[in-house]
Amino acid sequence: SHRNFGMKSILVYDLETSGLSPFDQALQYAAVRLNAETLEEIDRQEIDIAWRRDMIPSADAFLVHQIAISGRPSVVSEAAAIIAIHQHLNEPNTVSGGYNTLGFDDEMLRFSFYRTLLPPYTHQYQDGCGRFDVLPMVIFYYLYAPDTLKWPKKDDGRPSFKLEDLNRENQIIGRLTSHSSGQLTERQLIRIFSAVFKSSKQIQRDN
């Protein structure tokens, strides 16, 4: 149901998709809504989405997420899923985002909203809604508050900001059994976001 939570909330979400183009489709959506002040969980949502019949999957994407084309009993149609996601992101006073969402997930959803005849931009500004992205926040803290996290290195010595590398270096999760959006959203991403959030509070107190 469509509810007005009244208070400001943070919606942390992640998508698994059929490819990298915005003309591809979302196959899995997972999100956790947090209280913006305390980061306590308010609710969560996971949606498995059926493959469109006109969709040609990317082999590279399939090798990463391994989401089957058939035999998934809990799937809903893309149209039904996108309508539900649109309602979730457009809850009044929702700030939505994830890891590299401004560079990928948000664009994928905007194209999906448009294809489903829904307003594609209202989650960015309407009814107190907005967006965020943890990736540039993490880079900021690498530059200005490096004690916030342990920073993984690439073979050439440069820092890596991939979520799975940050997870491994900081031992957020010992081991992932699959590359599912639900696991990434609920565990890795929220814990990294929490570390940044707490560091931000400390910086504000110090100043």
Side-chain angles (χ1 to χ4, degrees):
S1 61
H2 191 66
R3 294 164 292 163
N4 186 344
F5 290 103
M7 61 186 161
K8 202 79 171 179
S9 64
I10 297 170
L11 184 69
V12 183
Y13 74 90
D14 188 45
L15 300 176
E16 294 298 342
T17 66
S18 62
L20 296 178
S21 165
F23 295 101
D24 284 298
Q25 71 161 112
L27 297 174
Q28 191 177 70
Y29 166 83
V32 178
R33 188 181 298 276
L34 308 172
N35 181 294
E37 294 297 326
T38 65
L39 296 187
E40 294 178 351
E41 181 179 318
I42 299 173
D43 73 343
R44 64 178 59 212
Q45 186 176 41
E46 292 192 29
I47 304 175
D48 283 327
I49 306 166
W51 288 80
R52 292 203 320 264
R53 293 187 179 183
D54 66 330
M55 179 54 58
I56 300 175
S58 161
D60 290 338
F62 180 79
L63 288 173
V64 172
H65 57 59
Q66 299 183 19
I67 297 175
I69 295 177
S70 60
R72 297 159 62 209
S74 61
V75 297
V76 299
S77 69
E78 184 193 34
I82 295 302
I83 289 170
I85 294 169
H86 189 269
Q87 290 177 344
H88 213 215
L89 268 65
N90 280 275
E91 290 279 4
N93 300 313
T94 295
V95 181
S96 59
Y99 203 82
N100 195 33
T101 43
L102 295 185
F104 178 71
D105 305 70
D106 190 84
E107 183 180 34
M108 178 71 69
L109 287 179
R110 291 199 312 269
F111 273 68
S112 300
F113 295 156
Y114 186 82
R115 189 167 57 246
T116 316
L117 304 180
L118 296 168
Y121 298 106
T122 50
H123 66 288
Q124 301 179 13
Y125 67 89
Q126 188 168 281
D127 295 330
C129 292
R131 301 180 297 168
F132 72 93
D133 191 335
V134 176
L135 174 56
M137 294 165 62
V138 165
I139 295 173
F140 176 88
Y141 279 90
Y142 169 76
L143 294 172
Y144 297 106
D147 293 338
T148 303
L149 295 168
K150 296 179 181 178
W151 305 102
K153 299 290 185 181
K154 300 179 182 178
D155 292 339
D156 59 8
R158 294 182 300 165
S160 170
F161 299 109
K162 288 185 176 181
L163 189 58
E164 55 266 32
D165 292 341
L166 287 167
N167 166 67
R168 183 181 62 252
E169 187 71 20
N170 291 274
Q171 298 182 336
I172 295 169
I173 305 174
R175 190 173 178 183
L176 283 177
T177 57
S178 67
H179 189 274
S180 75
S181 60
Q183 285 181 317
L184 290 175
T185 299
E186 294 176 17
R187 301 172 70 184
Q188 292 184 85
L189 184 52
I190 288 179
R191 293 186 189 181
I192 289 175
F193 181 83
S194 296
V196 171
F197 182 87
K198 291 175 182 177
S199 178
S200 174
K201 294 285 188 182
Q202 182 63 46
I203 290 172
Q204 290 176 20
R205 285 195 295 269
D206 293 345
N207 293 329

